[in-house]
């Protein structure tokens, strides 16, 4: 599990994942029999230039619940548990509302959180972008969650919309990787194996690109290096 790694090991693993693409990670997961780890293409970076999302999952779940205005104490309590190197993963049945905005993003960042993955909405996009805090969400909206959507659990397995399956399970400690191609979930049991093999694929692609620039044809490159 991620909890079995020391803080330094967690940091180093994350740094290495930042140097591989989600596409290579997805290919490795396929070869290992994990065929449904990709999230829905509806997940996009906010702002558009937010950059990569990489870190250990800290899960939060909520649901549509009418209540009086005045804040969501459970949401604030959930965010207090975030720690260095984690990604806050937000799930639930919210529709048309944001799960959080600029101020909570600032609070998460202060605790060492490295970004957010939101199966719902986000607002204050411009100001979150100024914080250099990457957020991947399904949509943006100015409508707040207070009075409409309420956190009811955290640090439990949650389910997010998938690319090849209706839902993808995300557990505390799974690894989240997002880039221009989308978002993928790496189960914590195989996080190192997937990383090692994805790095191998990445190196092979570097060699292929170099040979193509030297004048090798694509057919020749595939014959030499095999399918990638």
């Amino acid at each position: 599990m991620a909890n079995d790694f020391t803080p330094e090991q967690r940091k180093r693993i994350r740094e290495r994942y930042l140097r591989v693409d989600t596409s290579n990670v997805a290919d490795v997961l396929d070869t290992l029999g994990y065929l449904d780890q990709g999230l829905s293409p509806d997940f996009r970076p906010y702002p558009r230039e937010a950059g990569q999302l990489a870190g250990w999952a800290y899960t939060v779940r909520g649901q549509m619940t009418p209540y009086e205005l005045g804040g969501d104490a459970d949401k604030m309590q959930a965010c207090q548990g975030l720690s260095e190197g984690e990604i806050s993963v937000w799930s639930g049945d919210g529709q048309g509302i944001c799960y959080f905005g600029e101020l909570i993003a600032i609070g998460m960042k202060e605790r060492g959180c490295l970004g957010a993955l939101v199966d719902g909405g986000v607002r204050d996009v411009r100001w979150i972008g100024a914080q250099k805090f990457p957020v991947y969400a399904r949509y943006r909206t100015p409508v707040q969650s207070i009075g409409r959507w309420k956190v009811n659990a955290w640090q439990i397995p949650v389910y997010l919309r998938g690319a090849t399956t209706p839902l993808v399970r995300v557990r505390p400690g799974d690894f989240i990787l997002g880039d221009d191609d989308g978002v993928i979930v790496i189960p914590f049991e195989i996080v190192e194996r997937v990383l090692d093999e994805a790095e191998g694929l990445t190196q092979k692609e570097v060699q292929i690109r170099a040979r193509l620039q030297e004048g090798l044809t694509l057919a020749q490159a595939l014959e030499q290096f095999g399918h990638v």
Side-chain angles (χ1 to χ4, degrees), residues 48-226:
R48 186 174 181 179
E49 63 277 8
Q52 288 175 285
L53 187 70
W56 308 91
Y58 179 98
T59 63
V60 182
R61 188 188 69 192
Q63 67 182 58
M64 297 299 285
T65 305
Y67 60 99
E68 296 296 324
L69 294 178
D72 183 347
D74 289 330
K75 179 189 289 187
M76 301 307 296
Q77 185 177 349
C79 291
Q80 291 301 308
L82 281 159
S83 61
E84 188 79 26
E86 291 181 324
I87 299 294
S88 61
V89 177
W90 299 72
S91 67
D93 64 353
Q95 295 295 332
I97 51 90
C98 81
Y99 289 7
F100 70 90
E102 177 194 10
L103 296 182
I104 289 184
I106 290 173
M108 290 189 290
K109 183 178 178 181
E110 288 175 347
R111 302 191 68 82
C113 180
L114 297 171
L117 176 61
V118 186
D119 196 354
V122 63
R123 72 176 187 178
D124 303 328
V125 172
R126 175 161 58 111
W127 303 113
I128 290 175
Q131 292 293 325
K132 304 299 182 184
F133 186 81
V135 175
Y136 282 59
R138 283 197 299 111
Y139 58 85
R140 69 198 191 286
T141 174
V143 181
Q144 68 176 342
S145 62
I146 295 175
R148 301 179 175 92
W149 184 89
K150 194 172 184 62
V151 167
N152 58 22
W154 54 93
Q155 284 299 73
I156 62 168
V158 298
Y159 293 85
L160 276 63
R161 288 163 176 81
T164 58
T165 186
L167 296 171
V168 176
R169 183 175 67 162
V170 182
R171 298 163 299 170
D174 286 344
F175 197 87
I176 305 298
L177 186 66
D179 60 20
D180 291 338
D181 290 331
V183 185
I184 197 110
V185 180
I186 303 99
F188 56 67
E189 299 94 338
I190 57 172
V191 67
E192 289 183 291
R193 181 177 180 185
V194 170
L195 178 56
D196 289 341
E197 296 191 21
E199 287 175 330
L201 278 181
T202 299
Q203 185 57 39
K204 183 184 287 189
E205 287 185 346
V206 169
Q207 294 173 336
I208 291 174
R209 292 188 187 106
R211 295 304 305 276
L212 290 174
Q213 290 180 351
E214 292 170 0
L216 203 69
T217 67
L218 179 59
Q220 291 171 328
L222 292 176
E223 181 179 356
Q224 179 176 344
F225 294 97

